[in-house]
């Protein structure tokens, strides 16, 4: 049958639409007269005719086709008008982007040639059609708010990687990122744009002007007197930087602004779209839709033989032959038109939206379901498929690019229609199978965009009163419940909170609709038309995860993280609702509160984890090494062919060869590469053209889907799995195949939900956590501006009346800060409602609990724990971090159910697994160590560590005390330091004294938390070191080695910095070098604190010389302490000069932290010990050749002369002058009391512990004074009693001590200290390299 409406001849289904000659005169039960009246009523003529029914020509089905064609032709334009092109435009129709010659740089272009993504520094592309006369417009849908220049250019414009549209004489552009307009030069113009905005570009070639609009609002005339005349024509064009993306609308779809239902209505009066609208098809589609409405609103009363009007909404498809045949005639013309995007969006979508305009729930509007039934009945399958695809694309585009208004009306409108369509089972399954994940970026439906322009979003009306914190503690943190809050402030805060609640309720309406959509997609009961929706969704969702996991190196290929965040929360809500629904039907099954992913999912091959890293390494390696454990514990036998797994070399070759492979299904369109569906504009799905002016593709296609593991059970690829493979049946556990003996046999109502839960965890790991961290910046901005405003107000209050000029400037600043805070506080309300609300916090907490339970269950399987993916541990750590650092700004963590127990569970995981030999990945080990280090910085989480079983605590401390070689010792050392901080000498500070007046970059950093030492864990450490002498010796030996390395590196670096500073030419010290230098200093201080902790808790390790290595360790300790003191306290030394340079990056480098740490060790061994220990320590310290008494005197700021400074005969020459170092006035922004600051010379204020009264107690100062007095006396006695030693009798290694040991068998000699230290790491003789078998005491024979 001919289909004139579509312009082509299509094969139609045979419904016997026309009446044949042998047909009776009546059709069904409708007589000829009633049928004629019915058809005349449904298909009224627009031309004047007889109004009385008796005078009209009878109309039957045999005449209906001709009648419809006649009606449709009445309003059609003539052939002359149709063929006549609009003057002022040159180029082909339809208008698309010129992907053959009109581009510069690297670009990805969509299949429809309307969407584009930049893939190089600054790429440019123009359209295929130009204009030279008249008024023209096109629209650009902004997908990312980065650097882009959009506008017009001539054919003569030449662009490159640095210059784009607007940078050449005959090109003009608007840049909403920098809020400027460009034509060679640039000036401020317009407003900032955001993702989801629409820019309209208008050119008036009669007046010579160019104008831009943003979301339908004119930004004003941007350019006047543009070049026009013969030979000048302008193309739409854009230049965009890397990863930025847009979609153009030249008229292939209805232009968005303003919204109008009239047929040929353009957004701005007099301006035409570059592409002609399908006027004739629009008129036909509107007429046909009118006929369909007439059918829906008319009932035939066969008893009374009359027609009755009724409400369209009540129409049902009951199968009346008259109605069906009438509709079949209409659809014969209507169906082909519904394959065209313009008509679907302008006619069908508006009609369906109109049905839902009455409000109420979607269930109250069954007409849409009936219409979809009609579509599937009367249209060819390919027509319905194309119509539904275009309808969903239009809905998604409309949802994403609708402006934000206070009641979110547009978003709700489009989501309601989406829900109504997806309620139709057959349509839902088609869309799931072929559209939602394959063609569309359907995750957009679950995203609620954040308005950048608060005023346009109507937030001023919704939240009329703004509020921000005005009370801060000494460290700049907000006080949650300020006691001195005024009544006015309290009223403002409560009004603001009420506004936030109003906003939250409106957002919850949108979120509820989004969850309804997901509940429809997760339906597992709709099996009448084939596979249930849930299993289709499951397979598509897994592929979506694979695309995002496999393309992490290609940012343009990823689902944007802001979409992921919203999708994750809606999915958690929907999955938990489905889970609890199944739990109610199966009361004995696990409820959603106790959800975990059983460990067998990680190794039974039922779920594809792609190439993601496992805790034990590569999956192929684990299958080889753990095949026996799999067989014995889980009854899983690996196929022998599978055991010949890919080696590392094969993997490398595979990656390299992957670059040369084309993906399956690659389309050969202009050398196109088939790519993931995210490589696209945000509205359409596929972008298969990769344009490169260098003719080189920079993109490496990802590897094809990995084949599932071959297990000696039924294992299928994702696409081939059936419901039985997932849910299981009699004798088949489905996803739970291979349950280990340690795993309890707990029934799970819907096993398919387990895989979705696993996918949710993976989503959080891929990008959600990073996005949660990014959005906190708005809260940080509010805090910064609030502090700045408070500071400005205080300055205004102090400003003298005579300085009106200063007062005026301060008041201007005050106004700017207040305006910015008004804007930010409303924006923060939106972010708190959509991202950091209590409900979202509970979602992340639930995710944390899922990960903890999953890790615990996997851990119970012993060696099979190695199969667990790394991301479960990552998500457990990151989710806790998000709750503590991001959500706790708005909600209290203490209110979370079972929070303390969860903290303890997480502490047990960190304590056990940071040194778990089953975990091989260095990155995950580092992450566990860092998480544990952060955990012990906060009182609440430290208590959780103390609550874990004693056996686990002791094991954790044993692992922390293992020798530092061959492992990340810096983090281990940091953990031990945090356990000690608050107990050491002068170690009760949160921030260093000289940094108090500077603002910390982030007051929430673990290093800036108040000291919270753990006496319990210190006791465990003391017991371990006391009982295990070998471990104590190896631990301290490694600590001393690392201290020697760190401090030596630090001294070497500050020498380079000082040399650079002294050069006459201007030198810039590398910031990276400064950072490394500061890190070495911090490491040195922390290692000294660990030594202080050890010598305090277990002094016998150094002072009980009956223990092996005690004397050696004490000598090494004394040597290092003397070196540190001498370097830091020498007069006008290197350290002093570099500190006084005050270089950015070296803020933490100062006298106080390192000298106080050294003092703590010295006080412990020289004052707090027993008499024998003190005597041993003093003798070792004084016998060290580097000892100088003035270094000890320096601590108290005391001067000295040569007689009192001489520590030993070797140090006399270097200590005749008392050094005056540590200009505290230079290195510290005056933390001193006035009395201390005024004492001493006016030029130099010497370092002195007396100056730090807030940091060092009186008792501690007295101990230092006693130590100085003791050492002074001891040094005098040592100097008097020391007999001169000939050079021949000195150790040839250190030249500090007498020879006291002889080596066997070579008989070479040295002092005991040198040989003992050497033998800890090496068994070869210093001199002859012979292997030393023994060391004997040596004493010089007395001369005869």
């Amino acid at each position: 049958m001919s289909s004139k409406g579509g312009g082509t001849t299509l094969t139609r289904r045979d419904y016997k639409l026309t009446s044949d000659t042998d047909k009776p005169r009546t059709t069904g039960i409708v007589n000829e007269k009633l049928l004629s009246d019915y058809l005349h009523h449904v298909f009224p003529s627009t031309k004047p005719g007889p109004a009385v029914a008796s005078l009209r020509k009878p109309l039957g089905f045999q005449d209906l086709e001709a009648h419809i064609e006649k009606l449709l032709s009445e309003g059609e334009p003539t052939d002359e008008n149709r063929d006549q092109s609009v003057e002022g435009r040159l180029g082909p129709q339809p208008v698309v982007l010129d992907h053959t010659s009109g581009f510069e740089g690297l670009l990805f272009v969509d299949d429809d040639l309307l969407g584009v993504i930049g893939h190089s520094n600054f790429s440019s592309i123009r359209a295929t059609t130009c204009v030279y006369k008249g008024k023209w417009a096109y629209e650009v849908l902004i997908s990312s708010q980065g650097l882009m220049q959009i506008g017009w250019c001539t054919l003569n414009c030449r662009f490159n990687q640095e210059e784009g549209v607007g940078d050449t004489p005959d090109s003009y552009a608007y840049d909403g990122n920098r809020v400027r307009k460009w034509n060679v030069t640039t000036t401020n113009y317009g407003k900032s744009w955001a993702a989801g905005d629409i820019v309209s570009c208008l050119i008036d070639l009669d007046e010579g002007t160019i104008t831009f609009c943003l979301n339908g609002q004119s930004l004003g005339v941007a350019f006047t007197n543009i070049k026009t005349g013969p030979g000048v024509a302008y193309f739409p064009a854009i230049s965009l930087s890397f990863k930025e993306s847009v979609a153009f609308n030249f008229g292939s779809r209805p232009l968005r602004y303003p919204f109008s239902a009239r047929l040929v209505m353009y957004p701005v009066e007099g301006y035409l779209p570059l592409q002609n609208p399908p006027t004739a098809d629009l008129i036909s589609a509107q007429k046909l839709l009118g006929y369909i409405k007439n059918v829906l609103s008319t009932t035939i009363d066969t008893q009374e033989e009359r027609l009755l009007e009724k409400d369209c909404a009540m129409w049902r498809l009951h199968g009346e032959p008259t109605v069906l045949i009438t509709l079949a005639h209409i659809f014969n013309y209507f169906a082909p038109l519904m394959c065209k995007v313009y008509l679907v969006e302008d006619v069908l979508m508006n009609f369906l939206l109109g049905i839902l305009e009455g409000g109420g729930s979607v269930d109250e509007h069954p007409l849409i379901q009936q219409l979809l039934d009609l579509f599937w009945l009367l249209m060819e399958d390919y027509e319905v498929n194309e119509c539904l695809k275009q309808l969903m694309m239009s809905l998604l585009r409309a949802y994403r690019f609708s402006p934000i208004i206070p009641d979110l009306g547009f978003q709700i409108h489009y989501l309601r229609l989406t829900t109504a369509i997806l309620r139709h089972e057959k349509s839902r399954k088609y869309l799931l199978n072929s559209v939602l994940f394959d063609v569309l970026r359907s995750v957009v439906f679950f995203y609620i965009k954040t308005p950048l322009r608060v005023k346009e979003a109507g937030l001023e009306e919704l939240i009329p009163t703004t509020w921000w914190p005005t009370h801060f503690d000494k460290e700049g943190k907000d006080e949650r419940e300020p006691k001195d809050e005024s009544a006015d402030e309290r009223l403002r805060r409560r009004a603001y909170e009420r506004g936030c609640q109003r906003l939250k309720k409106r957002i919850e309406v949108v979120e509820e609709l989004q969850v309804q959509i997901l509940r429809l997609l997760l339906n597992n009961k709709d099996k009448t038309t084939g596979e249930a929706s849930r299993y289709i969704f499951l397979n598509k969702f897994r592929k979506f995860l694979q695309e995002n996991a496999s393309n992490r190196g290609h940012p343009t290929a990823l689902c944007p993280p802001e979409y992921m965040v919203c999708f994750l929360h809606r999915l958690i809500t929907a999955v938990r609702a489905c889970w609890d629904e199944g739990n109610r039907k199966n009361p004995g099954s696990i409820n959603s509160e106790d959800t975990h992913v059983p460990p067998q999912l990680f190794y039974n091959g039922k779920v594809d984890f792609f190439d993601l890293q496992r805790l034990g390494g590569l999956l192929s390696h684990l299958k080889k090494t753990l095949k026996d454990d799999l067989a014995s514990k889980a009854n899983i036998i690996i196929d022998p062919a599978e055991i010949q797994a890919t080696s590392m070399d094969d993997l490398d070759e595979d990656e390299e060869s992957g670059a040369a492979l084309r993906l399956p299904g690659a389309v050969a369109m202009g050398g196109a590469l088939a790519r993931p569906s995210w490589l696209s504009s945000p509205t359409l799905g596929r972008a298969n053209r990769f344009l490169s002016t260098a003719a080189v593709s920079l993109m490496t296609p990802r590897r094809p889907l990995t084949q599932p593991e071959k297990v000696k059970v039924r294992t299928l690829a994702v696409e081939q799995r059936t419901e039985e493979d997932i849910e299981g049946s009699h004798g088949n556990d489905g996803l739970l195949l291979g349950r280990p003996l340690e795993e309890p046999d707990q029934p799970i109502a819907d096993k398919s939900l387990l895989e979705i839960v696993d996918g949710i965890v993976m989503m959080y790991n891929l990008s959600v956590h990073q996005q949660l961290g990014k959005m906190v910046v708005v809260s940080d901005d509010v805090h910064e501006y609030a502090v700045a405003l408070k500071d400005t107000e205080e300055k205004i209050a102090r400003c003298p009346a005579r300085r009106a000029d200063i007062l005026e400037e301060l008041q201007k600043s005050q106004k700017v800060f207040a305006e910015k805070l008004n804007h930010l506080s409303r924006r923060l309300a939106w972010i708190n409602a959509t991202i950091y609300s209590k409900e979202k916090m509970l979602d992340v907490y639930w995710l944390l609990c899922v990960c903890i339970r999953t890790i615990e269950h996997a851990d119970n399987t012993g060696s099979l724990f190695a199969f667990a993916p790394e991301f479960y541990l990552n998500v457990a750590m990151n989710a806790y971090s998000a709750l503590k650092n991001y959500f706790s700004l708005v909600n209290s963590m203490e209110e979370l159910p079972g929070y303390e127990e969860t903290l303890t569970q997480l502490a047990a995981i960190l304590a056990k697994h940071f040194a778990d030999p089953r975990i091989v990945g260095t990155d995950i080990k580092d992450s566990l160590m860092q998480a544990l280090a952060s955990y012990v910085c906060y009182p609440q989480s430290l208590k959780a560590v103390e609550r874990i079983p004693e056996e686990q605590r002791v094991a954790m401390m044993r692992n922390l005390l293992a020798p530092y070689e061959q492992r990340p010792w810096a983090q281990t050392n940091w953990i031990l330091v945090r356990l000690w901080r608050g107990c050491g000498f002068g170690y009760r500070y949160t921030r260093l004294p000289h940094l108090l007046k500077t603002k910390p970059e982030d007051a929430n950093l673990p290093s800036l938390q108040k000291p919270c030492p753990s006496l319990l864990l210190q006791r465990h450490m003391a017991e371990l070191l006391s009982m295990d002498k070998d471990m104590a010796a190896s631990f301290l030996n490694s600590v001393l080695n690392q201290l020697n390395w760190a401090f030596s590196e630090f001294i070497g670096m500050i020498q380079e910095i000082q040399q650079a500073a002294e050069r006459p030419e201007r030198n810039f010290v590398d910031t990276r070098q400064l950072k490394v230098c500061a890190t070495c200093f911090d490491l040195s201080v922390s290692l000294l604190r660990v030594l202080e902790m050890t010598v305090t808790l277990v002094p016998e390790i150094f002072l009980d010389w009956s223990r092996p290595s005690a004397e050696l360790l004490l000598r090494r300790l004394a040597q290092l302490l003397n070196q540190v003191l001498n370097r830091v306290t020498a007069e006008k030394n290197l350290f002093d000069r570099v500190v006084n340079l005050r270089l950015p990056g070296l803020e933490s480098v100062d006298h106080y932290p390192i000298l106080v740490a050294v003092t703590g060790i010295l006080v412990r061994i020289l004052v707090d010990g027993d008499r024998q220990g003190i005597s041993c320590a003093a003798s070792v310290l004084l016998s060290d050749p580097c000892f100088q008494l003035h270094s000890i005197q320096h601590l108290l700021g005391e001067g000295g002369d040569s007689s009192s400074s001489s520590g030993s005969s070797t140090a006399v020459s270097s200590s005749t002058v008392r050094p005056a170092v540590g200009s505290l006035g230079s290195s510290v922004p005056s933390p001193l009391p006035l009395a201390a600051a005024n004492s001493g010379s006016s030029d130099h204020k010497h370092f002195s512990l007396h100056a730090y009264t807030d940091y060092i107690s009186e008792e501690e100062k007295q101990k230092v004074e006693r130590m100085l007095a003791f050492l002074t006396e001891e040094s005098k006695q040592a100097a008097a009693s020391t007999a001169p030693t000939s050079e021949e009798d000195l150790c040839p290694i250190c030249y500090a001590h007498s020879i006291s040991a002889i080596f066997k068998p070579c008989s070479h000699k040295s002092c005991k200290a040198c040989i003992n230290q050497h033998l800890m790491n090496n068994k070869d003789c210093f001199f002859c390299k012979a292997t030393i078998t023994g060391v004997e005491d040596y004493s010089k024979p007395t001369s005869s």
Side-chain angles (χ1 to χ4, degrees), residues 87-116:
E87 188 181 5
R89 178 180 60 199
L90 290 174
Q93 296 280 319
V95 183
V96 293
L97 295 174
D98 188 351
H99 67 289
T100 57
S101 60
F103 67 92
E104 169 63 39
L106 305 177
L107 299 149
F108 285 119
V109 179
D110 281 357
D111 276 347
D112 61 3
L113 298 179
L114 293 174
V116 62

Side-chain angles (χ1 to χ4, degrees), residues 490-709:
R490 191 179 303 110
L491 286 173
R492 277 186 61 203
R493 177 168 57 81
R494 290 175 179 172
Y496 175 71
E497 288 169 352
R498 286 194 298 272
C500 293
Q501 282 301 314
R502 286 193 295 270
L503 174 64
K504 185 181 175 185
K505 286 179 181 177
R506 297 186 180 189
I507 288 172
E508 283 172 350
V509 175
V510 176
E511 292 176 347
E512 179 56 36
L513 283 169
Q514 293 170 331
V515 171
Q516 282 182 30
I517 291 174
L518 277 172
R519 290 289 302 274
L520 290 169
L521 301 183
L522 291 175
N523 187 341
N524 66 337
K525 307 300 180 193
D526 54 346
K527 302 173 185 176
T528 55
T529 56
E531 188 179 16
S533 298
R534 179 182 296 177
Y535 305 110
I536 306 173
F537 173 82
L538 194 57
N539 294 337
K540 297 294 182 181
F541 178 54
R542 207 72 197 172
K543 287 184 178 178
F544 162 79
L545 293 173
Q546 180 171 7
E547 282 188 354
N548 282 274
S550 304
N551 284 286
R552 298 191 77 174
H554 298 298
T556 54
L558 302 181
C559 171
E562 58 269 26
Y563 297 176
M564 279 280 209
V565 172
C566 295
F567 186 34
L568 176 115
H569 287 298
R570 308 304 173 267
L571 199 53
I572 288 175
T573 306
V575 164
R576 292 192 66 179
C578 292
W579 192 296
D580 291 334
E581 188 178 303
N583 181 248
R584 285 191 292 272
K585 295 176 183 175
N586 300 275
S589 60
I590 299 174
N591 61 34
S592 67
E593 287 295 332
D594 301 320
T595 306
H596 72 276
V597 179
Q600 55 264 45
L601 259 72
F602 305 141
Y603 54 73
N604 66 11
K606 293 287 184 180
V607 177
D608 185 4
F609 286 95
F610 329 129
D611 294 327
L612 296 177
Q613 187 79 359
R614 308 300 180 101
L615 291 176
L618 289 173
L619 183 60
S620 55
H621 168 74
L622 295 176
K623 284 180 179 177
K624 283 182 186 177
T625 55
L626 297 178
K627 63 180 186 295
D628 294 336
D629 291 347
L630 280 173
S632 62
K633 293 186 176 183
N635 294 321
I636 288 182
I637 302 172
I638 304 292
D639 191 315
E642 186 83 3
I643 295 178
Q644 297 176 354
T646 320
S647 67
M648 289 301 294
D649 293 336
D650 294 335
L651 278 176
D652 293 339
E653 289 170 10
D654 191 15
E655 290 290 353
E656 290 167 10
S657 63
L661 294 175
R662 291 176 70 83
L663 284 176
V667 185
M669 297 175 67
L673 293 172
R675 300 172 357 277
S677 62
W678 302 108
L679 277 174
S680 63
S681 71
T683 50
L684 302 179
R686 295 285 171 183
N688 283 335
R689 288 178 175 78
F690 181 61
L691 308 183
S692 168
T693 46
V696 177
S697 171
L698 295 186
M699 180 184 174
T700 304
R702 62 175 173 84
R703 294 165 62 188
L705 293 177
T706 54
Q707 291 301 315
E709 295 75 24

